[in-house]
Amino acid sequence: MKEQLENLPKNAKEKYVENKKYFAKLKKKTPKRLDILMQELHDDEFAKADCLACANCCKTSSPIFTDRDIARIAKYFRMKEHQFIAQYLQRDEDDFMVLQEAPCTFLNEEDNACTIYDVRPKACAEYPHTNRKKFIQITNLTLKNTEICPAAYNIVEELKKKLPL
């Protein structure tokens, strides 16, 4: 895992142009079974992936916190929402609420476990979004996620094999 993580930025950068072109072609002629195939690829990859051995998403990036996420997590901490926001969050350049710092405040760095797993943000629960319905709408996000998540990178590589264009 360590070696794969070390090589991931370089590998993702090398494949970036190829993947961008692939997704552009895929958008022009999207197969009806794409979402089903993505679900299968996602399930296959996560049957063998160990997120706790990696946690690169938690170490390097922040999820977007929705109003519902903020309300749920603040309640969990028995805090007012405005207190939770002031202590942990900030607005990013796209006007989304994100963590003030990385690695994630809620990451237990000893075992890579999430200390708020049961109430974690929706974006964390769905990451890396490779099994989302209407996958074709989030190919730019997927491209970005291949730089962070080894599983997302592997899923895109498998997609290109299973669905050559």
Side-chain angles (χ1 to χ4, degrees):
M1 174 57 75
K2 187 178 180 183
E3 186 179 325
Q4 187 178 15
L5 267 178
E6 287 173 4
N7 294 328
L8 187 62
K10 179 178 75 81
N11 292 343
K13 189 175 184 177
E14 287 174 0
K15 296 280 187 175
Y16 182 83
V17 172
E18 176 186 314
N19 290 344
K20 193 168 175 76
K21 286 179 183 175
Y22 178 83
F23 284 139
K25 287 180 184 177
L26 197 61
K27 280 184 179 182
K28 287 182 181 171
K29 193 174 179 184
T30 306
K32 287 182 180 171
R33 64 184 189 96
L34 179 62
D35 287 346
I36 294 167
L37 177 59
M38 288 305 297
Q39 182 69 57
E40 289 170 3
L41 293 172
H42 176 93
D43 291 346
D44 290 348
E45 182 63 27
F46 282 97
K48 56 189 175 200
D50 181 4
C51 292
L52 290 176
C54 178
N56 200 43
C57 52
C58 305
K59 292 174 183 174
T60 62
S61 58
S62 173
I64 293 170
F65 284 71
T66 65
D67 291 342
R68 279 185 153 163
D69 295 330
I70 293 166
R72 183 177 61 255
I73 300 167
K75 182 179 178 185
Y76 174 80
F77 283 123
R78 294 186 173 106
M79 299 172 83
K80 301 274 186 209
E81 290 175 30
H82 69 88
Q83 292 171 312
F84 177 79
I85 291 168
Q87 186 169 344
Y88 297 107
L89 304 179
Q90 66 184 7
R91 288 214 176 267
D92 71 3
E93 61 277 356
D94 297 320
D95 205 30
F96 292 118
M97 295 302 285
V98 296
L99 290 167
Q100 293 175 4
E101 58 188 45
C104 177
T105 310
F106 309 113
L107 176 66
N108 179 339
E109 294 188 43
E110 289 179 24
D111 62 2
N112 287 339
C114 177
T115 60
I116 61 165
Y117 188 81
D118 291 338
V119 294
R120 70 195 185 278
K122 182 180 180 207
C124 295
E126 295 178 353
Y127 192 82
H129 313 287
T130 47
N131 62 341
R132 192 195 271 174
K133 285 184 169 63
K134 299 181 183 174
F135 171 79
I136 200 66
Q137 296 175 353
I138 61 159
T139 55
N140 288 341
L141 176 62
T142 301
L143 264 178
K144 185 172 169 41
N145 289 343
T146 62
E147 299 170 11
I148 299 166
C149 177
Y153 178 87
N154 293 341
I155 289 166
V156 169
E157 291 306 303
E158 274 304 305
L159 175 63
K160 293 186 299 187
K161 291 176 192 170
K162 299 259 185 195
L163 201 61
L165 298 177

